Structures are given as C-alpha cells and as structure tokens.
Amino acid sequence: MNTKRWIALLAAAALLVISLVINSAFSVLQSDFTSGFDDWTGMEQTALSEQVVESGDTSNRIAVLNVDGAIQDTGEASVFAAAGYNHDLFMEQLEAVKEDNSVKGVVLKVNSPGGGVVESAQIHDKITEIQEETGKPLYVSMGAMAASGGYYIAAPAEKIFVSEETLTGSIGVIMQSVNYGELAERYGVDFVTIKSGPYKDILSPTREMTDDERALLQDMLDSSYEEFVDVIEEGRDMTEAEVKEYADGRIMNGRQAVEANLADDFGFEEDVIQAMRDDFDLADGEVFEYGAGDDWSSLFAMKAGSLFGMDMETKFISDMLSQNSGPRMMYLYGEN
C-alpha cells in the first residue's frame, strides 16, 4: 500500500475518532447540565410545550401537528444534528393528543419525502388508534411535498388537502445499496468474508448480488408494497385496482392527486383549520401547536449547534453520522 493510501486511511480514522469524541463529550455535558439544573430548581423539565396559534375556547381545541423532513428514527441527537423531524417526540405528541380530552380535532401538516417503513407504520397505526378509540377527526394539510411515506401517514385522514403544486404520490417501496467492489479491487483492497449461511452478506457492497438474493429481497419489498396499497384502500375507500393504477412509484402534483381521489380538496394550513372548525362545530375553539419543551437540554443543543455552526460541510457530516449502517426498506421518494 503506497503512502497516499495510508494517509487517506489515517485521515478517515482520525475523522471517525474525532466525531466519536465530540459526540460523547456532548452527550455527557448535556446530561450533566440538564440533571444539574433540575437538581438546582427542584423540578423536572417537561418534554412537550404548547404554543397557542389562535386563542379561543380551551375546552374545545384543535391540535396542529407537524411532520417536516424524512420520517426516520435517527436515535439520540448529536452536536452535529440539525433541527428536523424527531420521531420519538412526534409519537409523544400523538399520545398527548389521544389523552387530552380538550382536543376535539387534529390538523396534521406533512412536508416530507417519506422515510422508514417501520416509522411510517408506527405513525399510521397511532393515528388510526386515536380515530378508533377517541373519535377525534384528523385532517391533513400537505405542504410542498408529501410523498411515499408522507402519503402513507396521511392516508387515514378524514380529509386530505393539497396545494395545486404539492408533490405527492410515489406510492411504493425502495431499498438501495452501493457496490464499490470493482473500485476496491482497482486499488488493491481485498475483503474477506466468513459467513454462516449463503445469504448472511446479502446486499454486500463488495460483490454483485445473485439472482436468488434479488428474488428474496423482491419478495420482501412486494409484501411491504401490498401493505402500502392496503393502507390506501382502507383510508381512501378505494379498490385495489383503483389504488394500483397510481401505485407504481410515480409522483404527481396536487391537481392530479385530487383527480385520482388521493386527496380531497385544495387549501393551505389556514384553510384546513377553518374546514375543521366548520365541519365539527369548533368555530370558537383554541388552535395550538406542540413543540419541543423549553428544557435545558434542548437549549444546550441549540447553543452548541450555534457554536459549531451548521454550514454545508457540517450538515454533510450530520447526514453521514445519522445514516444507518446498512440498507433498509423505505417508503421514500428520491434521496434525502
């Protein structure tokens, strides 16, 4: 191995070590700071806060929830983490909506290219649980994009509103991996794999996929695809044939979605809130949004982000660190 290759390997190792050290230190400081402040004040900070959007009757409220960004459970935030979708926090918000008797209706804002199969299913199942157990209606306000998993979580809504230029659809499942075997071979890198079965290294980035492996993965994706179709059939009261006419991965704008019966009407967030008021006699009801609590760990994270900056290079590192170690099935449009 020549000098340049050694330098490249050492630089990569150094970057990995530095990122691990910084994130470990951040986690320790964040935990110590938060617990220390809690001890000093004698109280524990709440996880959720509420921000009133429109004042009104507090016993008949409309909750506005927001899914903005890729629907993925990326684990604990790091010092590099940018503001965006937080899966655990959003599931807490759904549970709060379910348990709060003053909430009489929910408006879900979706601006997402989709995301993980599991996370999308968790949101969908929680929404249907709220509808079935409490009878609380849910309207969806689609933003610039509500594609693939973004549509999956919207499907159970009583009504879906879009703008004419909303990008939606992309009904289907995708799994991707990178094969750098030939590149590694060109630079004299040899990978040694010892495995317990023929499929243990399926989707390995160091070799070509076999026909048997491709067929096995296709079966998995087909199963998740059929689940996606079933969700739309039930949520939109459509037949399998009607759904599959559009469930080929294509994207569509808001006008096409309404024509295909995948959305109900046109409108922005304020229009959706007004429709909720009119349809469920909530004209005088308060409208509020959930947000991350004003806890000191959140404040510390924001200040740390400001200290380190969030330029394009930092965002790239953040994306790298939040990536899962292996490919997985996704309800996702494009690359995020």
Side-chain angles (χ1 to χ4, degrees), residues 71-73 87 115-124 153 328:
I71 304 169
Q72 296 187 73
D73 187 357
H87 186 65
V117 167
V118 172
E119 294 93 329
S120 300
Q122 285 179 318
I123 295 173
H124 169 273
I153 66 173
R328 60 174 181 153

Side-chain angles (χ1 to χ4, degrees), residues 155-185:
E158 277 78 7
K159 285 186 181 179
I160 296 176
F161 292 78
V162 294
S163 75
E164 293 189 352
E165 303 304 329
T166 294
L167 192 63
T168 187
S170 188
I171 299 167
V173 196
I174 190 169
M175 175 183 282
Q176 293 177 311
S177 69
V178 176
N179 188 324
Y180 50 75
E182 290 187 11
L183 179 64
E185 184 178 353

Side-chain angles (χ1 to χ4, degrees), residues 7 15 53 61 66 83 111 115 125 130 196 201 268 273 284 290:
I7 292 175
L15 178 62
V53 178
R61 305 197 297 163
N66 189 21
N111 185 36
D125 292 350
I130 292 170
S196 59
D201 63 341
F268 298 103
I273 292 173
D284 299 324
Y290 286 116

Side-chain angles (χ1 to χ4, degrees), residues 57-324:
D57 184 356
T58 57
S59 63
N60 291 286
R61 305 197 297 163
I62 298 173
V64 179
L65 306 183
N66 189 21
V67 171
D68 189 2
I71 304 169
Q72 296 187 73
D73 187 357
T74 56
E76 293 185 2
S78 74
V79 70
F80 294 117
Y85 176 74
N86 182 317
H87 186 65
D88 288 340
L89 179 62
F90 185 71
M91 296 304 294
E92 287 182 26
Q93 293 173 357
L94 288 175
E95 180 63 24
V97 163
K98 176 185 174 184
E99 298 299 329
D100 190 338
N101 292 329
S102 71
V103 174
K104 307 301 183 183
V106 183
V107 171
L108 173 60
K109 298 190 296 180
V110 181
N111 185 36
S112 172
V117 167
V118 172
E119 294 93 329
S120 300
Q122 285 179 318
I123 295 173
H124 169 273
D125 292 350
K126 192 65 179 179
I127 288 174
T128 56
E129 177 186 312
I130 292 170
Q131 292 169 318
E132 292 170 1
E133 295 186 13
T134 70
K136 296 176 182 180
L138 182 139
Y139 282 4
V140 165
S141 172
M142 290 186 171
M145 178 181 289
S148 205
Y151 189 84
Y152 189 106
I153 66 173
E158 277 78 7
K159 285 186 181 179
I160 296 176
F161 292 78
V162 294
S163 75
E164 293 189 352
E165 303 304 329
T166 294
L167 192 63
T168 187
S170 188
I171 299 167
V173 196
I174 190 169
M175 175 183 282
Q176 293 177 311
S177 69
V178 176
N179 188 324
Y180 50 75
E182 290 187 11
L183 179 64
E185 184 178 353
R186 181 187 303 177
Y187 286 94
V189 179
D190 185 29
F191 295 92
V192 178
T193 302
I194 302 171
K195 54 187 180 179
S196 59
Y199 301 117
K200 185 59 180 173
D201 63 341
I202 195 169
L203 276 179
S204 168
T206 66
R207 64 173 178 80
E208 290 292 327
M209 184 187 302
T210 68
D211 291 340
D212 287 345
E213 290 172 333
R214 187 177 296 276
L216 189 152
L217 292 173
Q218 189 64 56
D219 284 343
M220 289 173 49
L221 264 69
D222 289 346
S223 177
S224 293
Y225 167 77
E226 293 296 336
E227 176 64 26
F228 200 157
V229 171
D230 290 344
V231 161
I232 299 174
E233 284 181 53
E234 182 177 350
R236 300 297 301 169
D237 193 24
M238 298 170 68
T239 66
E240 180 179 354
E242 288 172 334
V243 175
K244 287 190 173 180
E245 182 178 353
Y246 304 99
D248 52 9
R250 75 180 72 180
I251 56 172
M252 60 183 70
N253 61 30
R255 294 185 298 275
Q256 294 169 320
V258 171
E259 292 172 1
N261 194 32
L262 294 174
D264 298 288
D265 206 347
F266 302 106
F268 298 103
E269 177 186 352
E270 58 271 21
D271 303 311
V272 181
I273 292 173
Q274 187 59 51
M276 174 71 70
R277 290 188 182 280
D278 294 340
D279 294 347
F280 296 97
D281 193 23
L282 296 171
D284 299 324
E286 178 185 88
V287 179
F288 75 98
E289 290 184 340
Y290 286 116
D294 298 326
D295 62 318
W296 287 94
S297 62
S298 299
L299 178 62
F300 186 82
M302 288 190 295
K303 292 302 182 183
S306 300
L307 176 64
F308 283 92
M310 188 50 71
D311 54 19
M312 289 303 294
E313 291 183 6
T314 308
K315 185 178 186 306
F316 174 72
I317 294 174
S318 173
D319 290 341
M320 280 200 311
L321 294 175
S322 65
Q323 291 288 334
N324 288 325

